[in-house]
Amino acid sequence: MRRLWPIIAVAIPAVMLVWVVVPINNYLLANAQIADDYMMPVAAFFMLCLVLGLNPLLSLFSLRARLHRSQLAVIYGILLVACLVPSGGLRHMLHPLATTVQRANSEHDVAAAYEELDLPSSLFPDSLEHGVAIPNVDPFIYELKPAAPIPWRAWIPPLFAWSGFILPWYVMMVAMAVIFFAYWRDNERVAFPLLDVMRPLVDVPEEGKRRLPDLFRQPIFWYCFSAVFLMWSLREGSRYWPSTVPALELRIQLGACFTELPWVNIGWWMKRVTIHFVYLGVAFFAPTRISFSVWFFQVVYAIYLMIGRSYLPGFDEQAVTAHRLGAFMAFPFFILWLGRAHLARVVRAVIKPARNDADRAYRLAGLSLLAGLCGMLAWLLWVGVPFMWAFGLVLAGFMFSLTLMRIIAETGLPLFFPDPGYVVMLAKLFPVAWHSAASMYFSGVLGVWFGPGQRASVAVVAAHALGINRKHKVKQHTVMGAVFLVVLVASLVGAGWVHLHMTYRNATPLCGGEIAAWGRNTLDPATAALQEHLRGAGEQTLSERGPGLLFGGGLTVLLYSLCQFIPKWPLHPIGLLGVGTWAVARMWHNVFFGWLAKVLVLKYGGSRLYTKAKAAFIGLIAGEVVAVMAWNLFAAIRGFMGMIYFRPEILPK
């Protein structure tokens, strides 16, 4: 119990701070987002403050008073999970609901489509009828009058209604993390590159009275940290004081190099280079085959687009999306096949008496996984989705979450998510006569939730949060999983309250524009899919997309098989999953630089130099994290003082 109280004393205030800081930073200030990728800059910065600030201070009084490694690991894991809801989780829930009500109120065809759909009224804060009063949504979008009370009660039914799907989905993903993480780490030897960056942030000195962990006593760490912080400070400072601070440009536009045929038609991601040291640093820790595959596929497909656009009349660029989707469909089956013995153990633990602690842990995780899947299925049936479609959507959610968890475990990419159109594309492969209004609408909704809604996935974050403490076994993982679920539920309420209060009292960010401008329209694809269905359109025959899907799936099967049977085979199919996507297209240059650095270090310095170089690359990452937080804080101070400020351009928007 003595070890538990420090965790509670630090974690609870930190979580509540995240609920407040993240929505205000991301939406009211429209600053660089600090909880929208797997590095979670706000959590990493907080841990740096604990390791470099609080622990050395406590060490002045007593070495026993400082936080231990196991305590720091729990705090870090809780913070990572707490960041999930206040940022992306709410962006894909509150604002899209309000925008949908507003569209139905102002557009007769949208209102008619929703009337045909006949959804439960509790899903939205106001009526979806055309031309009626929407007293709860109008002030949410246009700002509430100063003296008017916030209509909290109007949002309670939507919160409970949508939580009927969201909470089982969370349970499913946390259970998935518990089931697969230890097996992947110990049996399949999956790299988990992000953990190589996260674990030093929970380190404590073990020798004598040293007050700093080994990493932070290495000069190379501080050299790299300072260099990155200085570079970004010059870049951001020149925007405020252009005549005083010299600008250091870390973005290179190469469009002028591609102005003639066929080069003008090359993939757009080849025409710009932006250095992000977080992504470069993490790539250094990834296996070379994985990082090579990520950037190699980007180059190959950029050339493929160039040739097709220049020399092939009628070239279908959507084939690239079909290739990715085919890979997404094939990839999880390899994951399940490789883990078939482990899955059999989990099934036995569920249906037979447990023989040891691990079996009891897997029994609980397996039952939780089934409960989550059944809860998702029941909710879809409640909103009117036919059983077979509901089953298919739940299966898609499971497969997408599993694939995403494996992608990040292999690559360490801090930013990756599936395309929002994947689920609708799959649905359109079936005849229109098999569709229903509800099946197409919720294919659109869940396409967003399973895609950009997993910009920071619960499954991925939970798996890494479980792995921060190397010594934890499956028994401890189940306890941590339960803690994570409590944090997620509390975050829906706590961060939701902050988000509603902030939005009702502020129509626009302090810098102008719209609050959550990007997230407010994320249900529009679902509305479009519904309207297409009601018009009898939207079918996409297998002859159109079938070849692309088969090519992507077949290439994945071939490359994965070669990786299994030829250990030195250089190309992994994981690179195909991110070809031309918004996230990977902005990171692949950094993955290339990180891969190149690792190859050169290993070739000329061997494993000894590689071990020493880790501190340098963690320093690059930490320097960029601190730069993001520092310049966000500077912008926030200016914003609340009524001064002009700029959104830091350190991380991708």
Side-chain angles (χ1 to χ4, degrees):
M1 197 66 182
R2 290 175 59 189
R3 288 180 174 269
L4 184 61
W5 281 112
I7 296 174
I8 296 173
V10 175
I12 291 180
V15 167
M16 297 177 70
L17 188 65
V18 165
W19 292 347
V20 175
V21 169
V22 172
I24 290 176
N25 175 82
N26 288 10
Y27 303 118
L28 181 59
L29 292 164
N31 260 340
Q33 298 188 355
I34 55 176
D36 260 35
D37 62 35
Y38 295 115
M39 269 308 298
M40 299 291 183
V42 64
F45 179 76
F46 186 83
M47 296 308 299
L48 285 170
C49 291
L50 291 183
V51 173
L52 299 178
L54 180 62
N55 257 6
L57 184 63
L58 293 175
S59 299
L60 294 175
F61 300 97
S62 171
L63 292 179
R64 292 185 177 183
R66 67 189 179 191
L67 294 168
H68 298 286
R69 183 182 289 107
S70 60
Q71 294 170 325
L72 289 168
V74 172
I75 293 169
Y76 197 3
I78 290 173
L79 272 178
L80 290 172
V81 174
C83 290
L84 289 166
V85 174
S87 184
L90 292 176
R91 179 174 62 227
H92 295 285
M93 183 177 176
L94 299 180
H95 287 278
L97 296 181
T99 302
T100 300
V101 171
Q102 186 189 43
R103 283 196 63 193
N105 183 261
S106 59
E107 301 176 32
H108 188 274
D109 57 334
V110 173
Y114 278 97
E115 183 179 2
E116 183 75 20
L117 181 59
D118 193 25
L119 291 172
S121 60
S122 57
L123 292 175
F124 295 91
D126 272 323
S127 172
L128 291 171
E129 297 179 19
H130 176 70
V132 301
I134 45 175
N136 303 309
V137 167
D138 271 344
F140 182 84
I141 294 175
Y142 300 115
E143 189 173 340
L144 194 67
K145 294 180 180 179
I150 296 174
W152 300 108
R153 290 185 179 180
W155 289 91
I156 293 177
L159 175 64
F160 277 99
W162 289 99
S163 293
F165 183 88
I166 293 172
L167 294 182
W169 185 29
Y170 285 171
V171 170
M172 182 269 289
M173 289 192 285
V174 172
M176 182 188 298
V178 173
I179 290 171
F180 285 100
F181 169 73
Y183 176 77
W184 287 354
R185 178 194 62 189
D186 300 333
N187 295 74
E188 296 189 20
R189 303 298 182 186
V190 177
F192 288 95
L194 282 174
L195 288 179
D196 288 331
V197 180
M198 293 176 175
R199 283 170 178 158
L201 301 185
V202 300
D203 203 4
V204 293
E206 296 179 351
E207 303 176 13
K209 295 185 179 181
R210 291 175 176 170
R211 296 188 176 92
L212 292 178
D214 290 341
L215 172 69
F216 302 105
R217 289 185 286 106
Q218 297 187 42
I220 188 66
F221 170 87
W222 291 107
Y223 294 152
C224 294
F225 174 95
S226 302
V228 171
F229 185 84
L230 177 61
M231 282 190 283
W232 280 118
S233 295
L234 290 174
R235 170 70 175 82
E236 294 299 321
S238 66
R239 301 169 70 194
Y240 290 96
W241 308 286
S243 60
T244 306
V245 179
L248 181 63
E249 189 57 64
L250 295 173
R251 290 170 171 80
I252 305 172
Q253 297 294 336
L254 299 177
C257 301
F258 302 100
T259 57
E260 299 180 358
L261 284 174
W263 302 104
V264 70
N265 290 318
I266 202 166
W268 63 268
W269 53 88
M270 300 292 292
K271 300 179 181 180
R272 61 182 70 171
V273 177
T274 304
I275 303 300
H276 295 295
F277 293 98
V278 166
Y279 306 149
L280 188 157
V282 172
F284 182 78
F285 293 94
T288 52
R289 174 164 64 182
I290 298 296
S291 52
F292 171 77
S293 300
V294 170
W295 71 258
F296 178 80
F297 269 102
Q298 296 291 324
V299 175
V300 168
Y301 267 83
I303 296 173
Y304 165 72
L305 287 176
M306 178 186 71
I307 295 173
R309 291 165 176 171
S310 302
Y311 304 116
L312 301 177
F315 175 70
D316 182 15
E317 296 186 20
Q318 287 300 311
V320 178
T321 304
H323 295 173
R324 289 200 310 264
L325 179 54
F328 255 97
M329 294 170 65
F331 201 82
F333 290 102
F334 267 96
I335 299 172
L336 296 174
W337 174 254
L338 291 175
R340 61 192 183 280
H342 175 65
L343 292 174
R345 178 188 181 183
V346 174
V347 172
R348 287 194 299 269
V350 170
I351 62 179
K352 293 182 178 181
R355 294 176 295 179
N356 49 48
D357 287 343
D359 283 350
R360 280 186 283 273
Y362 283 131
R363 176 185 178 86
L364 179 59
L367 291 173
S368 299
L369 179 69
L370 289 174
L373 294 171
C374 291
M376 295 162 67
L377 180 65
W379 188 88
L380 288 170
L381 295 175
W382 173 66
V383 295
V385 179
F387 177 82
M388 292 306 299
W389 279 104
F391 182 84
L393 290 173
V394 171
L395 180 63
F398 173 82
M399 292 298 198
F400 279 27
S401 297
L402 179 64
T403 302
L404 188 56
M405 187 167 71
R406 184 59 177 247
I407 290 171
I408 308 305
E410 294 269 18
T411 66
L413 292 175
L415 188 60
F416 188 98
F417 51 85
D419 192 293
Y422 284 166
V423 178
V424 172
M425 181 181 288
L426 286 174
K428 287 181 177 181
L429 293 176
F430 297 94
V432 171
W434 295 13
H435 299 171
S436 71
S439 68
M440 293 308 299
Y441 178 73
F442 285 101
S443 293
V445 172
L446 297 183
V448 172
W449 284 11
F450 296 159
Q454 294 201 84
R455 177 168 172 153
S457 167
V458 171
V460 175
V461 171
H464 285 80
L466 294 175
I468 294 174
N469 191 329
R470 297 175 185 269
K471 297 181 180 180
H472 276 180
K473 304 298 182 182
V474 179
K475 181 180 179 180
Q476 288 85 8
H477 290 169
T478 56
V479 175
M480 290 300 300
V483 172
F484 295 161
L485 288 172
V486 171
V487 172
L488 288 168
V489 173
S491 297
L492 282 173
V493 178
W497 184 90
V498 173
H499 201 107
L500 285 173
H501 187 279
M502 174 191 68
T503 308
Y504 271 110
R505 296 303 182 192
N506 300 273
T508 64
L510 298 183
C511 58
E514 295 180 331
I515 286 184
W518 180 81
R520 66 174 58 236
N521 296 317
T522 52
L523 286 185
D524 285 359
T527 302
L530 170 63
Q531 291 176 306
E532 277 190 355
H533 167 75
L534 295 177
R535 292 195 303 267
E539 183 177 350
Q540 190 170 237
T541 63
L542 279 173
S543 62
E544 294 179 68
R545 293 288 166 245
L549 294 172
L550 289 174
F551 177 83
L555 184 59
T556 299
V557 171
L558 174 63
L559 293 178
Y560 222 135
S561 301
L562 290 171
C563 289
Q564 294 300 310
F565 294 110
I566 306 176
K568 292 187 178 181
W569 178 256
L571 204 57
H572 194 284
I574 209 163
L576 179 58
L577 299 170
V579 165
T581 59
W582 180 91
V584 179
R586 285 162 172 76
M587 286 190 294
W588 77 270
H589 312 88
N590 302 281
V591 174
F592 168 76
F593 293 133
W595 166 85
L596 182 62
K598 183 172 184 177
V599 168
L600 294 176
V601 165
L602 288 174
K603 182 175 181 178
Y604 295 106
S607 59
R608 184 177 180 182
L609 181 59
Y610 175 71
T611 301
K612 291 183 177 180
K614 288 181 178 180
F617 283 86
I618 295 176
L620 297 178
I621 295 168
E624 189 157 280
V625 166
V626 174
V628 170
M629 297 302 298
W631 284 99
N632 268 9
L633 178 61
F634 180 75
I637 293 172
R638 289 179 64 95
F640 285 119
M641 292 177 63
M643 303 170 67
I644 294 176
Y645 68 95
F646 302 105
R647 179 192 186 277
E649 296 180 345
I650 300 174
L651 295 177
K653 296 182 179 179

